[in-house]
Amino acid sequence: MKKFMAAAGLIFAAMLLSFGAQAEAAKPKVMKVGLVTARDTAQAKALELFIKEVEQKSGGAIKGELFADAQLGGTREMIEALQSNIIQGYVGGAADLAPFVPSFNALELHLMVPHGSYKDYEAADKIFTSAPAMEMLKDLERSNMKGLAYWESGYKHITNNKGPITKQSQLKGLKVRSIENPGQVEALKMLGALPVIVPFPEVFTSLQQGLIDSQENLIGNIIKSNFYQAQKYLTLSGNLYLRAPLIVNKGFFDSCTPEQ
């Protein structure tokens, strides 16, 4: 009788483990995606569509959650969280990834892509679909990240609260916000400006308090982040063209089925 009860107990325990494993397998994978810009920007709208497509095409096996407006921290914090699989997806500037793959610096050089016509976008396409650009995405795998694509961002334009900027000399002595990127810092210095490194979530407050006089950004970010409330002048300079790598945690990606 004791042997029978022991055997029955083992079978029952095995059944519980089996049911538990099946229930765990039935749970959808959660894909948390981070973004520093506001929820009503073009990038956030694109991410919402991306998440919707992933959910539909995976048959609900993957569920996405979007955290916009720097809810999960600044750029560096989110990239580090992605490496640790705390979040699974992120979209941001190419130069933000330079600490992991230094060659990404080359994709955010001032005046690399002229601003003036749709032909300039064709030139940008050739750069961002080139073999070296694709290799940079692949190189992210060494840092536990998987590069999926380069999304469109557009041209950065400069705002300030000192006066209209119609020539380069008017940048002299202007405290301009920069990201933590040696190439962009050096470019602003060459233009005569005084670069000040400020994380994106702190830009508006820094403008209000006069810690910086100026910032350069996409038109959508300037509007949605209310920078115009702290800045009087906008120059359509188009001095910096951006595309935003869409990246996911490599472990998360590798855990997906080939179909997913």
Side-chain angles (χ1 to χ4, degrees):
M1 185 66 179
K2 288 182 179 180
K3 289 183 179 179
F4 173 78
M5 293 299 292
L10 287 172
I11 293 170
F12 183 66
M15 289 173 64
L16 284 178
L17 286 171
S18 175
F19 290 143
Q22 290 176 23
E24 190 65 30
K27 282 185 180 179
K29 290 179 183 291
V30 177
M31 181 179 67
K32 296 179 181 178
V33 184
L35 187 66
V36 295
T37 53
R39 183 170 282 274
D40 53 355
T41 57
Q43 277 187 355
K45 295 296 182 185
L47 278 173
E48 287 176 352
L49 180 60
F50 171 71
I51 287 170
K52 184 179 178 181
E53 290 284 303
V54 169
E55 289 179 345
Q56 287 180 347
K57 292 185 177 181
S58 69
I62 303 175
K63 292 289 184 182
E65 298 176 8
L66 175 60
F67 296 85
D69 207 13
Q71 285 178 281
L72 302 177
T75 297
R76 178 177 288 275
E77 290 89 349
M78 277 197 278
I79 292 175
E80 289 174 351
L82 183 132
Q83 286 183 292
S84 302
N85 204 26
I86 296 170
I87 65 173
Q88 289 69 48
Y90 171 76
V91 171
D96 296 325
L97 297 169
F100 311 97
V101 180
S103 50
F104 272 110
N105 275 318
L107 296 181
E108 289 196 8
L109 295 176
H110 281 66
L111 305 178
M112 179 179 74
V113 181
H115 177 240
S117 73
Y118 283 107
K119 289 185 178 179
D120 297 330
Y121 284 97
E122 293 175 7
D125 278 335
K126 291 180 181 178
I127 294 170
F128 286 91
T129 58
S130 66
M134 293 296 106
E135 192 63 29
M136 289 179 208
L137 289 181
K138 189 175 180 181
D139 287 344
L140 287 170
E141 295 184 21
R142 294 199 296 266
S143 299
N144 202 31
M145 295 181 279
K146 178 81 174 179
L148 301 183
Y150 290 103
W151 279 11
E152 175 73 34
S153 284
Y155 287 94
K156 272 189 173 183
H157 306 285
I158 193 165
T159 68
N160 85 100
N161 57 12
K162 297 293 185 182
I165 297 174
T166 58
K167 50 189 177 182
Q168 181 185 330
S169 60
Q170 291 167 327
L171 289 170
K172 189 173 181 180
L174 202 66
K175 292 181 291 184
V176 182
R177 179 258 178 171
S178 175
I179 66 169
E180 192 176 348
N181 179 279
Q184 292 196 23
V185 169
E186 191 60 32
L188 287 169
K189 286 180 180 178
M190 291 174 69
L191 291 170
L194 300 175
V196 181
I197 295 171
V198 179
F200 185 82
E202 300 172 20
V203 173
F204 183 82
T205 304
S206 297
L207 291 169
Q208 277 188 319
Q209 295 176 349
L211 300 176
I212 51 176
D213 307 313
S214 170
Q215 64 84 47
E216 50 183 8
N217 229 302
L218 309 172
I219 290 290
N221 290 345
I222 291 170
I223 294 170
K224 300 301 182 182
S225 298
N226 299 320
F227 291 154
Y228 57 86
Q229 294 178 4
Q231 300 275 267
K232 293 181 181 179
Y233 304 96
L234 166 66
T235 302
L236 297 176
S237 53
N239 52 296
L240 190 59
Y241 176 82
L242 303 179
R243 288 210 177 168
L246 169 64
I247 57 177
V248 295
N249 173 269
K250 187 177 184 300
F252 172 80
F253 184 88
D254 290 345
S255 73
C256 295
T257 66
E259 293 77 16
Q260 290 168 353

